[in-house]
Amino acid sequence: MKATENEPVTGVVTLPSGIRLVTAQGDLPAVEVSLPAATALVYLHGAHVAEWTPAGQKPVLWMSASGAFTPSAALRGGIPVCFPWFGPNLSDATAPNHGWARISAWTLTAATLEGPDAVLTFELAGSHPDSTGTAQPVSLRYTVRIGATLTLALTVRNDGAAPVSVERAFHTYFAVGDARRTTLLGLQDLPYLDRTVSPPVTASAALPVAFTGTEIDRVYPMPRVVTIDDAGNHRSILVGDTDAAQTVVWNPGSTKAAAMGDFGDEEWTQTVCVEACNVRDQAQVLAPGAQHRMGVTLSVEPEPARHEPTANTNTQPHQNAEDPHTMERLTRAIHPGDILPTRAIQFGEGNFLRAFVDWQLQQMNTQGLFNGGVTIVQPLAGGLVAMLEEQDNLYTVLLEGKQDGEEVQSHEVMTVVTGTVNPYIDYEAYLALAENDDIEFIFSNTTESGIVYSAADLRTDAPHASFPGKLTALLYRRFELGKKGFTLIPCELIEHNGDKLKETVLATAAHWELGADFAAWVDTDNTFYSSLVDRIVPGYPKDRAGELCAEFGFEDRLIVKAEPFLLWVLEGPQALTETLPLAKAGLNVTVTDDMTPYRERKVFLLNAPHTTMASLARLAGVETVRDVMLDPDFGPLVHEEMYEEIIPVLDLPHDELAAYAESVKERFENPFMHHELASIALNSASKYKSRLLPILLNFHAKNGTFPPRVTLALSAILLTYSGDPSVSVTPVDSAEIIAGFQAAYATDAATPDAYVATILADTTLWGTDLTALDGLVEQVSAGLASLRDRGVRATLADLSVLA
Ligand code: TA6
């Protein structure tokens, strides 16, 4: 299975000027291209593009300084051509990883100039076994068009007598300024196969892909374009115009890089791989005589030059509404303004806090009531801080919806974010926040699973993996400096989040033996408010981004869309109404001694129906909250769940609850809201526990039966997480949690009861063994089987059969 021996290096090719044959590293022959539009170097070994640099740009491809240049091994970096299999050969463990094409000597058969570009053609012949194991001859023709863009096209032909199945990938190593400041756009919310776990599992993520030092190895469906936001080089690299079905994203991270002989220990920070490909279930089956082309185009877009505003700054040169990338990027150069003193720290750079806390602080600033900014701390290794910095921490909040029956549409550039810190990149800058006497407030939103004490956090970690670990280190630095405490206001959607946060800080302090004085200081010098937040924030309006940017007159990659409605309930001392005068600014904010009524109303009449609809309606292909409300099956489901299963078990006046339920339904029907169920489905298992399980338990305690719709939502989550091939949607959760469900299902697929019993007995998921509730396993597995075999609409049509 190798290229035919002794193929001549070049066919009879006349090389036009600007193209020449050279002896490159390792004495390997290569084609060197040097044209006004670009320079490049392509080794005949593997037809391996090792260098491509468009004029006026830094090199786009990365090559390892530790790589070997020998005919017996693949070159590390550039663009290896993986063929005819990707990764390990599943039927021959001795075969080379990623196939034989990248370690074979190709023939240059043509070299021409077409306009400003050079077009090189390489050919290689070999063989590949058909399904019976018989070797079938195949031939490859690879064209490489080099210019301001780089276009690759690999055509494979089956010259044999039987069909063969082949995989292909352009395993491109892109050169980036710093992988830790690089993100990938265009893959958000797409399901990917995570190959860092075994067996690989399917997952997805709402945020852009970030590179943290942990290995990333994922197979995604190929979107129209993948944008590599190479912040370190102030440019974007676009991978697009492709007919490949998938893209692999790979970065070895620090541990794997250190273990690889031809990859420098720290080189993982210099490159990311984005690989247009057709692999696994997208492998090409070629009939005898058939051929197939796979191509991709790479291009570079410099980040718009930042320049001081001049008289005609506002005349935007050649704006293209379709492509916001042609517009000037939002920065303080085009949106100047005073930078206020930092008076708050915020853990979390996600959509919610930027459209909720930061928006409110800005409203107070506009009215001269707060005069302070906020520094955002990135709580996880991956995140948006790099993107915020590119825009000088500016971004637009877009409000759309109904308020008091009137349609509202407004947008405002947020200038309140005065700084950002990524503790994973600059830990000392993070701790230094403790030295700033102006800082009084600490806000956070680290999801429902963020405020969790972790014994794994060691005092010496820098940074600590958990949020409480990070926060304790910061508070301890403040304490050591003898400075005053903070007012802490978490926004995480868990009960008594303020008390919980304090508890985890004190537990961490005890674990690190920080002493009684510090514990007393945490207790007395800091005020922890519990808070309840209520605003629907769908986030980045990706479907309208181009048109909105054209309207704004600048490119903003961090627009956050939200509804006008907002409620914030803060449980704690009334003094806050003076130090943080939100209500004075006309905002719907209440400071109270007991937030329970507000919390129950919101979690059970807004968040709970959200999780029900995300779990059930996605199975029927419904995409948004509004679509659910307008749907003949799911609209009534929401109403009935509210009025027949939730309101009856809440200990609050019925009329008040009904009024709130109606305001929630109006907000769900918001015509401007494209609130994707996929984003609500994030961490559905833990959300079910906090939002719906209490309803299920109360209803059962009250009626001795289980609430049909609330219980069916649990069936839907277990089905979605099971990995059952009949299920069209993918769970959005951590790889570990999903793997747990799929492993249980793989063991008990034949008997849903057993699978359901295994999952319901898992106290780490539910906090209690739910199999103790007679009849629940049966009702949940009956629901699961009905959803799987009859479908969700048929199941909803006759819920009584499940009880
Ligand atoms: O494309 C990602 C990947 O398949 C990873 O699994 C990793 O192994 C990488 O390719 C490099 O493979 P190589 O054989 O070049 O070491």
Side-chain angles (χ1 to χ4, degrees), residues 52-305:
W52 167 56
T53 309
Q57 264 301 331
K58 289 183 179 166
V60 179
L61 304 178
W62 170 85
M63 289 295 288
S64 171
S66 316
F69 289 82
T70 72
S72 59
L75 306 185
R76 179 61 70 189
I79 310 179
V81 175
C82 305
F83 176 87
W85 60 84
F86 182 81
N89 181 314
L90 302 178
S91 48
D92 176 0
T94 64
N97 205 40
H98 291 322
W100 41 259
R102 66 175 182 164
I103 53 175
S104 300
W106 292 62
T107 304
L108 176 70
T109 56
T112 56
L113 294 180
E114 293 180 12
D117 298 347
V119 182
L120 308 178
T121 305
F122 301 90
E123 294 188 19
L124 178 69
S127 67
H128 187 51
D130 61 25
S131 57
T132 67
T134 310
Q136 300 294 339
V138 292
S139 53
L140 294 88
R141 194 176 66 255
Y142 182 33
T143 59
V144 179
R145 173 184 283 270
I146 298 157
T149 62
L150 183 73
T151 299
L152 313 172
L154 178 63
T155 301
V156 181
R157 191 181 62 226
N158 177 359
D159 300 320
V164 291
S165 169
V166 295
E167 296 180 296
R168 271 168 296 180
F170 299 124
H171 195 305
T172 312
Y173 291 77
F174 291 95
V176 294
D178 182 343
R180 294 164 298 188
R181 296 187 55 219
T182 299
T183 49
L184 303 185
L185 306 170
L187 299 169
Q188 294 99 301
D189 296 325
L190 290 180
Y192 63 83
L193 189 70
D194 185 347
R195 299 170 73 231
T196 60
V197 290
S198 178
V201 295
T202 305
S204 75
L207 284 175
V209 181
F211 300 90
T212 60
T214 310
E215 181 178 16
I216 287 200
D217 191 348
R218 302 174 178 177
V219 184
Y220 286 90
M222 185 72 181
R224 190 177 61 76
V225 61
V226 177
T227 301
I228 302 170
D229 194 324
D230 177 12
N233 285 328
H234 300 292
R235 66 180 179 184
S236 299
I237 304 169
L238 279 66
V239 181
D241 194 12
T242 179
D243 43 21
Q246 301 148 313
T247 185
V248 167
V249 172
W250 183 59
N251 180 285
S254 51
T255 311
K256 188 156 188 182
M260 292 168 68
D262 62 350
F263 207 110
D265 294 6
E266 291 311 313
E267 287 188 328
W268 69 270
T269 63
Q270 300 167 9
T271 183
V272 297
C273 290
V274 178
E275 312 165 23
C277 59
N278 287 339
V279 301
R280 303 178 67 92
D281 55 355
Q282 297 297 326
Q284 222 74 48
V285 177
L286 294 171
Q291 65 178 39
H292 183 273
R293 173 196 182 280
M294 182 183 83
V296 69
T297 295
L298 313 180
S299 56
V300 181
E301 296 204 348
E303 192 179 81

Side-chain angles (χ1 to χ4, degrees), residues 342-347 361 364 370 373-375 438-443 478 484-489 527 529 576 578-581:
T342 296
R343 291 190 57 202
I345 298 169
Q346 172 177 308
F347 288 86
L361 297 181
M364 288 197 295
F370 186 66
V374 58
T375 287
D438 293 337
I439 298 181
E440 292 171 59
F441 301 96
I442 296 182
F443 304 104
R478 184 86 159 185
K484 62 179 176 19
F486 296 108
T487 297
L488 296 101
I489 305 178
T527 310
Y529 281 80
L576 190 68
E578 292 311 317
T579 54
L580 196 65

